[in-house]
Amino acid sequence: MLTDIEIKELEDLSKENRQNVIKMVYNAKSGHIGGSLSSCDIMTVLFHKCMKHSLGGKNSSDYENRDRFVLSKGHCAPALYAVLAKGHVSPLYYSVLSQVGFIPKDELMTFRKLGSRLQGHPSLYCPGVEVATGSLGQGLSIACGKAISLKLDKNPAHVFVLLGDGELQEGSIWEAMMQAPHRKLNNLTAIIDRNRLQIDGCTENVKALDNLPEKIKAFNWNVIEIDGHNIKEIYSALESSKNTDKPTAIIADTIKGKGVSFMENNAGWHGKAPSQEDMKKQ
């Protein structure tokens, strides 16, 4: 269980990560802002409280037992870079929040710049990135492969994969949905950012996904439905997913563009950078 202090710190850190996402995309004059904002709470809790990290790299004694993360919706790299950076911790909460710190915070403003490690989609140039992603529909299969490899090695590490709901319209996702329970991959957690919007509009208009929980349960997955902006619910779901006999799918109900009034639930902000005038708005 999280303490009230930990919840408050994670909420504050999520807000800071959102601010950094907005600044990064504005500074680069390009990037995918809507889905990055909807997934900030999820990734903040996951990276700061639920994952085992190895900051020292391949030569560290804890490297092989690190948890793995796959950002299947690779276009939302700004949110990933924000959580990989060393965050701010006020003295009040100094002892309770673990730091990630794969990259220095001041590197965030190099996002999408020539020669930067922080490319528009995750690449292995960036510390903390396990796999280069961006082609939608492939991340769950990659995560399955990693989970199978860990099982064969009798490695206790866990694999987490974050999916956009729009990419669930890809057939390869459902092949992986069949594979995971068949191989008894209880070391795999798929988190679905269910913001119901994709680049062409509402997911239910493009290719309907509902009733999504029942669809996934039919593939023999453990399914947890949560408010994807509630820190307690996110943490509880992620922790419980580590102790099951099946792969777990967490369906996180989120708001695209979360935290910015004129971006929220607006598909037009899927891959659009804010202007100087936008940055002045409340």
Side-chain angles (χ1 to χ4, degrees):
M1 293 292 292
L2 295 175
T3 66
D4 290 343
I5 290 177
E6 288 174 298
I7 291 170
K8 178 63 168 60
E9 178 62 13
L10 287 164
E11 289 173 343
D12 289 347
L13 189 55
S14 290
K15 291 178 183 177
E16 181 178 333
N17 287 335
R18 282 197 177 88
Q19 291 170 353
N20 284 329
V21 164
I22 294 167
K23 292 175 183 176
M24 291 160 66
V25 176
Y26 169 73
N27 188 57
K29 298 296 185 279
S30 69
H32 295 81
I33 200 166
S36 293
L37 293 176
S38 67
S39 58
C40 272
D41 294 313
I42 296 166
M43 281 202 265
T44 298
V45 176
L46 175 61
F47 273 78
H48 283 270
K49 298 302 294 184
C50 300
M51 282 183 65
K52 293 178 296 185
H53 299 293
S54 176
L55 296 179
K58 294 183 179 180
N59 295 323
S60 299
S61 59
D62 61 353
Y63 180 75
E64 290 301 328
N65 288 334
R66 75 197 184 282
D67 289 333
R68 276 67 162 171
F69 175 74
V70 177
L71 181 62
S72 187
K73 55 172 206 164
H75 56 284
C76 294
L80 176 60
Y81 299 147
V83 299
L84 289 178
K86 185 173 178 60
H88 168 75
V89 177
S90 68
L92 178 61
Y93 310 121
Y94 190 77
S95 63
V96 297
L97 184 64
S98 63
Q99 287 291 281
V100 179
F102 281 98
I103 58 176
K105 187 176 176 181
D106 59 9
E107 190 174 349
L108 293 178
M109 292 307 113
T110 70
F111 172 63
R112 287 199 171 207
K113 300 296 184 182
L114 184 63
S116 172
R117 298 190 295 180
L118 311 186
Q119 298 186 20
H121 294 72
S123 77
L124 297 179
Y125 292 115
C126 180
V129 173
E130 291 283 342
V131 60
T133 55
S135 296
L136 295 177
Q138 297 181 3
L140 188 56
S141 294
I142 294 170
C144 280
K146 289 182 175 291
I148 291 170
S149 176
L150 292 172
K151 284 276 189 181
L152 291 172
D153 289 341
K154 295 181 170 51
N155 187 320
H158 203 88
V159 181
F160 298 91
V161 54
L162 181 61
L163 303 154
D165 52 358
E167 69 174 313
L168 268 60
Q169 296 159 350
E170 298 267 6
S172 54
I173 290 290
W174 299 96
E175 293 178 26
M177 283 284 183
M178 286 190 288
Q179 173 77 336
H182 177 72
R183 296 299 296 264
K184 298 180 172 57
L185 301 182
N186 62 330
N187 59 341
L188 173 64
T189 299
I191 310 147
I192 299 166
D193 184 4
R194 188 72 169 113
N195 59 38
R196 295 181 174 270
L197 290 175
Q198 56 193 105
I199 192 169
D200 291 325
C202 176
T203 56
E204 302 314 287
N205 293 333
V206 177
K207 188 183 291 183
L209 295 167
D210 280 335
N211 198 342
L212 186 58
E214 282 66 25
K215 283 185 172 72
I216 299 175
K217 287 177 184 176
F219 281 76
N220 202 27
W221 283 61
N222 177 43
V223 176
I224 305 173
E225 298 177 73
I226 63 168
D227 175 349
H229 301 304
N230 183 297
I231 299 298
K232 289 176 66 175
E233 290 188 24
I234 296 168
Y235 176 78
S236 177
L238 288 170
E239 287 298 295
S240 66
S241 75
K242 301 175 186 177
N243 300 292
T244 68
D245 58 357
K246 299 178 179 180
T248 295
I250 299 172
I251 302 175
D253 186 20
T254 62
I255 299 171
K256 192 149 189 161
K258 172 68 175 176
V260 183
S261 60
F262 57 90
M263 294 183 186
E264 288 190 352
N265 288 318
N266 186 339
W269 286 99
H270 175 86
K272 177 182 174 183
S275 66
Q276 189 173 6
E277 287 303 310
D278 291 327
M279 295 294 284
K280 296 176 184 178
K281 296 177 183 177
Q282 298 297 318

